Amino acid sequence: MRTRDDKKQEALFLATIRVVNEIGFAASSVSKIAKEAGVSPATLYIYFANKEDLLVSTYIEIKRSMGAAMLEEFDERAPVHDIFHRIWRNTFAYVSENLEEFRYAEQFSNSPFRDQVDMEQLQEYFAPIIRVVNRGVEEKILKDVGMDMMGVFLIHPIMVLANPRHCKGFEVTEENIETAFRMAWDALRL
């Protein structure tokens, strides 16, 4: 039995992102992804059951990485506004620095593969943020609108503004980032 190598698994994730972004989900094959990763197709099956498993696992890894970045310097005891500001800044930086991952995640979110994702697993990566949102609602700081709507106004503006493909006219400056945060905060607070 062959052993797993974390570097090969990471290479497979990165190759999957590159290949899918270049030619799409349908044209991506195990052999093309393995070649891009510099491994044999048989090696891919040590880590993943099939192509679909690799595609779903790549998306989950992107979400895990994003969740970790969002929670850098996270202090759940801080004021809700300050926590949201930290999350905003962390997320903006992460999206700006990982555009290819977000391109993949966008395609994935709009594909049938999305139905194969264990949403409870994804929520685990963002559990501290969910607790802060609930605290903000309980303390009557935030609107009681549910997590989906909360995410639309907190995270989705970042996905658009930090991605030059979506928002070509947005100049990434401290002033513009802060203005965008204030607008998002104003949409969420009571």
Side-chain angles (χ1 to χ4, degrees):
M1 178 178 204
R2 294 170 67 182
T3 60
R4 291 174 167 247
D5 176 346
D6 289 341
K7 289 182 182 179
K8 286 183 182 177
Q9 187 170 5
E10 179 67 19
L12 287 165
F13 284 141
L14 294 174
T16 301
I17 292 166
R18 285 191 299 270
V19 170
V20 168
N21 284 350
E22 185 177 322
I23 62 175
F25 285 106
S28 297
S29 66
V30 166
S31 62
K32 288 176 184 174
I33 292 168
K35 182 178 179 182
E36 179 71 22
V39 301
S40 74
T43 299
L44 187 141
Y45 292 106
I46 294 171
Y47 302 93
F48 307 100
N50 51 38
K51 174 185 162 184
E52 290 76 22
D53 183 33
L54 171 61
L55 297 174
V56 170
S57 296
T58 300
Y59 177 77
I60 290 169
E61 178 59 21
I62 290 168
K63 291 300 210 174
R64 185 206 58 75
S65 179
M66 178 183 172
M70 290 171 76
L71 294 172
E72 285 181 21
E73 298 181 39
F74 184 83
D75 179 2
E76 202 164 327
R77 298 165 298 175
V80 172
H81 173 274
D82 295 353
I83 293 171
F84 270 53
H85 189 256
R86 168 63 57 200
I87 290 168
W88 178 274
R89 300 296 301 207
N90 289 348
T91 307
F92 201 98
Y94 185 77
V95 171
S96 298
E97 295 164 8
N98 296 280
L99 290 174
E100 290 305 307
E101 286 84 345
F102 279 93
R103 186 171 166 213
Y104 178 92
E106 274 183 325
Q107 288 185 72
F108 187 94
S109 293
N110 293 309
S111 78
F113 296 112
R114 177 88 162 101
D115 296 335
Q116 297 179 35
V117 174
D118 179 355
M119 296 310 289
E120 287 182 18
Q121 179 185 3
L122 286 186
Q123 285 183 339
E124 289 176 23
Y125 303 138
F126 304 96
I129 297 168
I130 293 168
R131 284 193 302 271
V132 170
V133 168
N134 289 333
R135 184 181 114 205
V137 170
E138 287 170 13
E139 293 177 2
K140 304 214 180 302
I141 296 168
L142 299 174
K143 293 175 177 135
D144 188 3
V145 294
M147 287 302 163
D148 286 339
M149 199 174 302
M150 213 38 93
V152 166
F153 286 90
L154 178 64
I155 303 303
H156 289 282
I158 297 168
M159 305 300 178
V160 174
L161 294 172
N163 187 340
R165 287 180 152 199
H166 291 300
C167 206
K168 294 179 187 341
F170 182 76
E171 188 177 346
V172 180
T173 65
E174 285 297 314
E175 182 180 352
N176 285 344
I177 292 169
E178 287 302 313
T179 298
F181 170 73
R182 283 191 305 275
M183 291 175 71
W185 176 252
D186 286 347
L188 298 173
R189 70 184 173 95
L190 277 176

